[in-house]
Amino acid sequence: MTQKRFFLTALICLMMSVSSFATDKVITANQLPEAAQTFVKEMFPNAAIIYVEIDDGKYEVYLNNGTEIKFDLKGNWNKVNCELNAVPARLVPASIADCVEGQFPEAVITKIDKEHYGYDIELSNGFDLKFDRKYMTFGIDN
């Protein structure tokens, strides 16, 4: 009887874990919204899309240069993570770029994330900066 309960419990756990991943779906780059495809071509002309997934109502795009981009369902970007490389300068609002250049001249912005409060920026020196919608810094972590 104990083995039967163990097997049943293990089976239920397995089914629950498999169903929790059922929302992820791998698609081709051509299935991305046109706005997302254009964004990748314009911002990363020397990179190619190697993997695309729809996860929780967002597109997750991975490029062959190590960049990860997240888009909403309309194809608007909300996160660009270039790991150790600088994000394209055109993505960074001028006020934020000026602040980073003035405070951390040796660093580059490696990640930019649009948040409900404004922007979350990660720098190559390990600092994480938070900006409100008026581009004012309100948080710094390292």
Side-chain angles (χ1 to χ4, degrees), residues 39 42-44 67 80 82 85-92 109 112:
F39 177 89
E42 289 179 359
M43 294 296 160
F44 301 95
T67 298
V80 176
C82 294
N85 298 312
V87 300
R90 293 182 1 206
L91 295 181
V92 183
I109 298 171
I112 184 167

Side-chain angles (χ1 to χ4, degrees), residues 102-116:
Q103 297 292 320
F104 305 95
E106 77 291 348
V108 296
I109 298 171
T110 59
K111 178 181 161 191
I112 184 167
D113 199 351
K114 290 182 186 176
E115 297 286 352
H116 65 280

Side-chain angles (χ1 to χ4, degrees), residues 25-36:
K25 179 181 176 188
V26 177
I27 63 170
T28 66
N30 293 337
Q31 292 174 296
L32 280 170
E34 188 65 35

